[in-house]
Amino acid sequence: MNHIHLTRRTVLLGSLASVSVPVLAQNTKAIRIVVPFAPGGGNDVFARQMAKSLGELRSQSIIVENKPGAGGNLGTEQVVRSAGDGATLLLGHSGTVSINPALYKQLKYDPQKDLAPVAMFASSALVLVVPASSPVKTVADLLALAKAQPGALNYASSGSGTGGHLTGELFEQKSGVKISHIPYKGTAPGLTDLAGGQVQMMFSVIPPALALVKSGRLRAVAVTGSQRLPSLPEVPTIAESGVPGLAGFESTLTYGILAPRSTPEAIIRELSAQMLKIAASPDFQSRLGVESAVPLLGGPAEYAALIRKESARWAEIVKVSGATVE
């Protein structure tokens, strides 16, 4: 672990040293960061915080443009088709760069061929929540209930192929239990039905679930990351459950910035160094904490390696689950 941190620090410091002559200093037009999801979620929050800080650092206008649709594919395609001049960037997310290539049959882009990673900056776990009235207080309780009542339990997600759905599939594969998947059109309706007892559990993004946990309508059973979270310090990780098969369980979503593949390497290096400087700042990391995300810093090479690793992992989960979108 120390080696990894040293490597990231070395990459960061080396990148910062490389921007003594700004490649984009003469570029007076605004930079656009495309968020391929609707306003209001973590993707949007992270992009706007990065845009604000990057604009101040560069003394340049940085615009965030929301382009939702097709699980993030519409906005991603727009960036892929854009000129590689550093003026159009993408807020990357595990779904668009690692899950969708395996999930969508007719995807119009290949993230590993058509996009150039600039910098990664955050990782976010999900939280396993159940209704407050549920007898389930631990992962072991949940598995015991699932085994005692085969086929009786179901879990909500914000839609087929989303992180919550595939985390549920991974949980089933690792634990050996069968829990039926109920897809909803978004996180909010799924959580509403969960609080009302219409479904038994959900792997949810944390901020909206946290509000219901604090109000006493839901109970947080476990988080899906490798470590406990400051926002839910008393909630264990699934890996801590002591259940055979779940010792190494981890499911997180990662975030970063990408550019069209044709973007010159010098522009990538400059933007990467500036974004990593921002991402390492206490102000930015505090914003991540509000969204229950944790810092995960890396330059172009590290982000590319992570995308390759995540793509292979999620592709296998998608294959086993049978999930597909036309």
Side-chain angles (χ1 to χ4, degrees):
M1 184 64 72
N2 288 336
H3 173 72
I4 294 174
H5 285 316
L6 179 60
T7 301
R8 287 177 180 163
R9 178 178 173 80
T10 302
V11 169
L12 176 58
L13 292 176
S15 298
L16 289 175
S18 72
V19 289
S20 55
V21 181
V23 176
L24 291 173
Q26 73 283 5
N27 190 354
T28 56
K29 69 177 181 179
I31 291 176
R32 182 173 57 122
I33 299 178
V34 175
V35 177
F37 301 99
N43 297 273
D44 191 55
V45 170
F46 300 151
R48 292 183 187 281
Q49 185 66 26
M50 179 62 74
K52 176 178 178 292
S53 300
L54 188 63
E56 293 169 354
L57 182 63
R58 297 177 61 84
S59 299
Q60 186 175 6
S61 179
I62 314 291
I63 300 167
V64 173
E65 179 181 316
N66 294 91
K67 184 75 174 179
N73 293 337
L74 290 184
T76 302
E77 289 168 15
Q78 185 181 88
V79 174
V80 166
R81 294 193 301 267
S82 298
D85 57 3
T88 302
L89 304 171
L90 174 73
L91 191 286
H93 172 271
S94 296
T96 51
V97 299
S98 298
I99 296 175
N100 287 2
L103 183 67
Y104 284 78
K105 286 186 174 181
Q106 300 181 29
L107 200 64
K108 296 178 181 178
Y109 67 91
D110 180 337
Q112 295 189 55
K113 292 180 180 179
D114 299 331
L115 292 167
V118 176
M120 62 182 185
F121 55 79
S123 173
S124 179
L126 301 176
V127 60
L128 170 58
V129 282
V130 299
S133 59
S134 171
V136 172
K137 292 182 172 60
T138 66
V139 172
D141 290 343
L142 176 61
L143 297 181
L145 186 61
K147 290 174 182 176
Q149 302 176 27
L153 299 186
N154 52 48
Y155 71 97
S157 82
S158 58
S160 293
T162 60
H165 170 207
L166 296 179
T167 297
E169 293 286 348
L170 179 63
F171 183 79
E172 288 185 71
Q173 293 171 26
K174 296 289 187 182
S175 65
V177 300
K178 180 60 183 173
I179 305 170
S180 299
H181 172 228
I182 309 295
Y184 283 79
K185 292 183 178 180
T187 299
L191 287 173
T192 297
D193 272 10
L194 179 66
Q198 279 79 34
V199 287
Q200 283 78 53
M201 56 184 278
M202 183 173 184
F203 292 96
S204 173
V205 290
I206 294 176
L210 188 59
L212 291 169
V213 170
K214 289 184 174 180
S215 70
R217 298 183 65 195
L218 294 180
R219 177 183 302 122
V221 175
V223 293
T224 64
S226 60
Q227 297 180 333
R228 296 192 184 196
L229 296 173
S231 58
L232 291 166
E234 73 288 354
V235 178
T237 67
I238 288 178
E240 290 179 302
S241 65
V243 174
L246 296 178
F249 189 96
E250 182 178 2
S251 178
T252 57
L253 303 174
T254 54
Y255 304 85
I257 299 291
L258 303 100
R261 176 57 69 180
S262 59
T263 306
E265 188 176 335
I267 293 178
I268 297 291
R269 284 199 305 268
E270 180 185 314
L271 288 171
S272 179
Q274 292 171 341
M275 289 178 182
L276 288 174
K277 180 178 181 180
I278 291 165
S281 70
D283 183 52
F284 190 86
Q285 294 193 6
S286 174
R287 182 69 258 184
L288 294 181
V290 171
E291 296 298 317
S292 294
V294 296
L296 182 65
L297 307 187
E302 284 187 299
Y303 194 16
L306 179 71
I307 291 171
R308 288 194 297 271
K309 179 181 177 182
E310 284 196 332
S311 295
R313 180 169 183 260
W314 287 117
E316 182 60 28
I317 296 170
V318 169
K319 181 180 178 181
V320 173
S321 74
T324 185
V325 179
E326 295 293 338

